[in-house]
Amino acid sequence: MMTLYSDPICPYSHRTRLAITEKDIAVTIRNSRLEPWSEEIAASVPYGKSPVLVNRDTILFDSVIIIDYLDARFLQAPLYPLEPAAKAKLKLMLHRIDHDWYALWDALSDTKKAKMAAAKRTLREDLTVLSPLFETGPYFMSETFSILDCSLAPLLWRLPLLNITLPDKAKAVETYANRLFDRPSFKASLTNEERAMRP
């Protein structure tokens, strides 16, 4: 049985849990805030952050690496397209999501108001500018659920927690988000702490 050490409020961990529930993989999920890692795991994780996947002698960190590993091992509900050009295009957008939006998470959680305000403004403006992309299909840039949706759903779920309200011209983002939030896999991926993020 594989074990995922997951932070109950971290969007990186949430993204990983969503991929696991979407693919219906049997994984034991442990709260990394309550259960300390063994010395072996700690020695294998240089940054000391969740999520961490343990599968026998294999210890993996970084949410995208974990999801890639699981998607290659378990072929049901693939999270990447098979066609090379389509897969490369998806990975380019995933790179943008990680480097432009997920990279803001520390600033969004910062106690310094100016830093937090700048991060919120960036996220709000980017989502508004890219709003047309959320109308191109039932999922983000795709006809099928992908790792992009696994990545966007945790961020969009946290917008009320961050006091970020999107303008009317970004209505497509809200419509897309609600479609993801209604998926059984998304509901199953939520921790109690994450459920409390929205009224």
Side-chain angles (χ1 to χ4, degrees):
M1 178 67 75
M2 292 185 287
T3 299
L4 180 76
Y5 289 88
S6 168
D7 186 315
I9 64 171
C10 164
Y12 293 95
S13 289
H14 190 181
R15 157 163 78 178
T16 310
R17 281 184 268 111
L18 177 53
I20 287 169
T21 56
E22 181 68 27
K23 292 181 71 66
D24 194 22
I25 302 169
V27 176
T28 298
I29 296 178
R30 299 191 183 280
N31 186 330
S32 61
R33 292 188 172 219
L34 300 178
E35 300 187 44
W37 299 337
S38 67
E39 290 184 9
E40 179 185 7
I41 295 173
S44 301
V45 182
Y47 306 110
K49 294 183 179 180
S50 301
V52 174
L53 182 75
V54 180
N55 183 25
R56 297 180 183 175
D57 294 333
T58 301
I59 300 174
L60 302 174
F61 60 91
D62 185 273
S63 58
V64 172
I65 291 173
I66 293 171
I67 294 170
D68 284 357
Y69 170 78
L70 294 174
D71 202 49
R73 277 205 62 194
F74 300 92
L75 302 183
Q76 71 273 18
L79 297 174
Y80 290 93
L82 294 177
E83 199 275 319
K87 187 174 184 178
K89 184 178 179 182
L90 182 148
K91 284 193 168 187
L92 284 173
M93 181 52 71
L94 180 61
H95 179 84
R96 287 191 64 185
I97 291 171
D98 274 2
H99 286 262
D100 294 350
W101 298 343
Y102 268 81
L104 294 173
W105 185 248
D106 286 344
L108 289 167
S109 309
D110 204 294
T111 55
K112 296 178 181 177
K113 291 185 178 180
K115 194 173 182 180
M116 185 188 297
K120 287 181 180 181
R121 185 168 57 251
T122 297
L123 184 56
R124 183 186 300 110
E125 291 174 355
D126 285 0
L127 285 171
T128 302
V129 169
L130 292 178
S131 181
L133 289 179
F134 290 86
E135 298 180 290
T136 58
Y139 301 105
F140 190 66
M141 298 177 59
S142 175
E143 292 296 316
T144 58
F145 189 91
S146 77
I147 190 174
L148 297 183
D149 305 298
C150 285
S151 301
L152 288 168
L155 290 178
L156 296 175
W157 181 258
R158 286 160 170 76
L159 291 185
L161 176 71
L162 300 169
N163 293 316
I164 294 177
T165 303
L166 297 178
D168 289 341
K169 58 184 176 181
K171 184 70 176 177
V173 180
E174 183 180 347
T175 301
Y176 161 83
N178 289 330
R179 190 160 54 245
L180 292 188
F181 301 160
D182 283 338
R183 289 178 72 83
S185 60
F186 181 82
K187 293 176 182 178
S189 75
L190 292 168
T191 62
N192 290 334
E193 293 87 346
E194 287 164 342
R195 288 188 184 93
M197 291 177 181
R198 282 182 171 243

